[in-house]
Amino acid sequence: MDCCFRLLKRRGSRDPLFLTGVTFPPEYPASPETLVKLTVYDVRDKARDNSSFLGSATFSVSDLLRSKDDQLTLNLRSSDGVLAVGTVLVSRVNMGEMEEGDMDHITADVQQAQKCTLVCESSQGTPNDKDNSPLTSAVFKNPVCKVYKFQTVDSKWMLVREQMEECTLSFSIPRQLLHLYIQEDMRRIQELSDLGELSPHWDNLRKEVIARYGQVIAVYQETLAELNKITGPSFKPSCSKAQRYLEFIPINLHTQRMRVTCPRQTDAFYDVITVGAPAAHFQGFKGGGLQRLLSRHEAEKKSFSTAYQCIYYSPEHTAKAQEVLHSVGHLQPLISGLADQLLQAAQQHSMAGLREALKTLAGKTEQFVHALKDELVKSALLALHAAQPGYVTKNQNQTLPGHQGHSHQDHPSPSQRGQQGQSQPQNPGHSPGQPSATDSPMVVCNNVDGGSQTAPIREDGQAPLKNQDSIPCHKEYDEEEWDRVWADVAKSLNCVIAMVDKLQEQEPININQEQPIPKQVLADVITSHNPEGDWREQLCPLLVRLKECVAEVVVRARRAMTFVLLQEAACSIPQGLFLKQRRDVVFSQALAALACGFVMRLYAGMEDKGFLRQLHLVGLVAQFESLLSTYSEEIGMLEDMEVGISDLHRVVFKITQAKTDDPCDLQPLVIGRRDHYTVEVPLPRLAFQTLPHEIKEGKALQVYPVLFNVGINEQQTIADRFGDISLQERINQRNFEILDSYYKSLRDKVPSECLPSFQTQMDLKDLLGTLGQNVVTKKRKNVEILWLAGTICRRLNGIRFTSCKSAKDRTSMSVTLEQCALLRDEHQLNKDYFIRALDCMRREGCRIENVQKNIKCRKYAFNMLQLMAFPKIYRPPEGTYGKVDS
């Protein structure tokens, strides 16, 4: 088989010496009979493919294999084969791990005058299987590899290998999230329907909210159906960032690993995940991004609450309502199952089983009771009762001095809404269950005839009404009933504990001191059962009662919290629906990137005991580097990204054992709801068994996302001189504090030996101090913030991300700069070759291949005017940029 490769002669060189290389991809396997043709051109303008033929040479692979020292010296011949125009030295090089002797051999063969770098390319295969195990190939696809040789300060040669891959999580995570979004919204519709009969005002609001949820579900179902049709590459190209059906997919998500082999050193590798800024590109940025939109909307919700006759709940209280809903839904089946386990142990007369089951049951029941120990539940139950037809309080005749009631229609006029607004709470942090001296919470009461009554709740929790003639008194609401129902759970548990203690003849009886039982009641419980009879028969009635009490509490708490969320949703119409969808989109992109980075970091650290210890004791920091400007549309992208990255704190990871080693069973799984997600990462059985006990037991693994942004383009120049950079300053300051807090926690819990070692010995504390100084320093385009944050992240065993608008152009400049800086600082890259190595990576490396994959053109999307505003170290080499459609 004939193969032809073009070797490019450096322009302006009279007697050039150059070094380049090739590898055979899997679709073109080499054999001893393979013929290789080398052709040399004089390249005048590479961008325009302006070159002239100089000469060529041909050899067979068998000639190279039989040659002395695996080297051939060939004469370049003119097109007619007569004239010799130069020579080519062909060497066979092992592109895997290189022994010290191999390095010395290369050094001896390369003369001091040879100052060009060697670039070897493999578009599909890879010469090193370390980064392409069956485990990694299940998640990472379509590798692009580049191999370089760079000279060190001691005239040795290091082997540097880049590998860039797509990630299946680009699509699988958003698909799973869409499915969870749909399920969650459908549950919310069912919960709203289960609220029962409401007054006409509230029933109309409920219908409107349910209709809104239905619209969101329909859109998400359509999007999911379209995503399920997609096959092919596992990434979304930058030119598709504004497509509607792809808006949940991260832009241009790729992993990149640089592996370095040096004489007398262990192989080192450095990972980075590149992804376009998580942002709602399809929805646009005319009104700004999420950070600005959410702040504006939160302020507007107060006026909406007045217009819709709702109680205003702060984001903290709606989050609490969602937490209560999740807790009771999660704990109720656990308590029921544990009660059954207790009965089974009793039937077996197993003392140890009985005590163990009781201990677990008591713990979960106390957790259940504690989850409901919040005034929000009690006040919400009163508000729900007030929204039902025929509402009346237990003690209506008590009124506040000077209070005057008002009767309103279901659809008040603007003037009436203004009057209502005067009696509504205005404190954003206020809760209806937390009255203060200056701001009493309100209950809006709507009766069956359409009237409503607004009155402040007294300190004893009752809401007196002045004008009772407007409300038909159909039934009373006992405000102490919730306290009794809630306390019955603890009392029932204490009865179970007392009976178990009696059965085991342990004295004194272990009673929960929070809810003491009267001695006579306890005596009745114990004596009502025959101690000589079957244990199961004696425990069964008590456990049935416990289950009934828990079920009663769950029904009431679920309805109360659903009513809180109904009011929040009603106050949010219509802007809240738009923001909810936008936040879902941005979070989907951010979580796909985070999951990709976590999996890559986990796979790389499977044999690092220090890393695994850090993982379960403290967690990992995930550092996002952003190069967005704070001007025009990109400020909206940055506002989206800030919220999306911050929302990742709601995510935890768990490691599970895969059912089989099949790639389908090794795909991460997302479970949970919008305010808390868990990503389960399955590992093959043998790999799973090597993990620490805590991880195998399912401990939740925390990730601490931090974002640092420094704009570097021409738009940032405008923002620095004439615009506002406060967003960037606030983001950097806030996330520095998070990073510093993580470091302090890590320092206290994990010994320093668990962290990786580096050649540069600067202390982490000093690095953080320098970063803190740079964050508060007023300096334009202070890219040192990004360099320091990236260095600290690597020192902390963290996950590195780099982003710009499309993760294609500015991101490529940053990634290649970081890689060369690591070669210089950690592997003694000759400083004279730093810029040459940087240009080589940008011209021939994986990043230009990324550009090709995205826009089908090997040019970075810069023009000369733009680059004049860039820091010099972020400018690509001549001939690699131009005006293109990105």
Side-chain angles (χ1 to χ4, degrees), residues 510-724:
N510 181 21
I511 301 297
N512 188 329
Q513 296 303 317
E514 282 192 14
Q515 296 291 340
I517 303 176
K519 292 182 179 179
Q520 184 58 45
V521 174
L522 182 57
D524 293 342
V525 169
I526 296 176
T527 58
S528 64
H529 300 277
N530 180 9
E532 302 300 326
D534 183 72
W535 288 7
R536 190 180 191 282
E537 291 180 359
Q538 297 180 66
L539 277 174
C540 188
L542 301 179
L543 290 171
V544 169
R545 176 58 181 161
L546 175 63
K547 289 183 181 180
E548 290 174 349
C549 291
V550 168
E552 177 68 16
V553 168
V554 167
V555 170
R556 293 171 183 261
R558 182 173 286 152
R559 294 177 71 238
M561 296 300 94
T562 299
F563 189 65
V564 170
L565 297 179
L566 168 62
Q567 294 180 85
E568 194 273 339
C571 294
S572 298
I573 293 173
Q575 182 73 358
L577 174 66
F578 161 75
L579 290 178
K580 175 173 171 290
Q581 290 178 278
R582 189 182 190 100
R583 200 165 188 171
D584 286 348
V585 165
V586 175
F587 179 76
S588 173
Q589 297 177 27
L591 180 58
L594 178 65
C596 170
F598 182 89
V599 170
M600 188 180 195
R601 187 66 191 88
L602 175 66
Y603 289 175
M606 289 294 295
E607 299 178 1
D608 186 344
K609 293 183 179 180
F611 164 75
L612 295 174
R613 184 177 180 184
Q614 173 189 350
L615 180 60
H616 74 79
L617 285 178
V618 185
L620 300 180
V621 65
Q623 184 251 327
F624 289 80
E625 171 187 311
S626 169
L627 299 158
L628 295 172
S629 66
T630 55
Y631 184 78
S632 189
E633 280 195 342
E634 288 198 3
I635 196 170
M637 296 177 202
L638 184 57
E639 289 171 338
D640 273 357
M641 186 176 185
E642 179 191 9
V643 174
I645 300 305
S646 177
D647 282 349
L648 292 176
H649 78 274
R650 299 177 289 160
V651 179
V652 297
F653 288 82
K654 288 186 179 180
I655 312 300
T656 61
Q657 181 174 319
K659 297 178 181 178
T660 70
D661 291 353
D662 187 272
C664 294
D665 291 328
L666 296 176
Q667 297 297 316
L669 176 67
V670 184
I671 58 175
R673 63 196 188 282
R674 280 184 177 89
D675 58 331
H676 183 80
Y677 286 104
T678 299
V679 181
E680 295 183 347
V681 181
L683 293 177
R685 183 181 62 84
L686 293 179
F688 182 79
Q689 293 303 321
T690 65
L691 297 175
H693 175 76
E694 294 84 354
I695 296 179
K696 289 191 291 186
E697 287 297 308
K699 182 175 182 179
L701 308 175
Q702 301 290 331
V703 173
Y704 299 85
V706 292
L707 169 66
F708 291 91
N709 184 86
V710 176
I712 63 171
N713 66 0
E714 77 287 354
Q715 290 187 326
Q716 188 60 44
T717 301
I718 298 174
D720 287 339
R721 295 183 178 179
F722 311 110
D724 182 9

Side-chain angles (χ1 to χ4, degrees), residues 61 64-65 67 69-72 90-95 105:
V61 173
L64 180 59
L65 294 175
S67 64
D69 297 328
D70 288 336
Q71 289 187 355
L72 285 176
V90 180
S91 299
R92 177 172 174 263
V93 179
N94 177 13
M95 302 308 293
H105 176 68

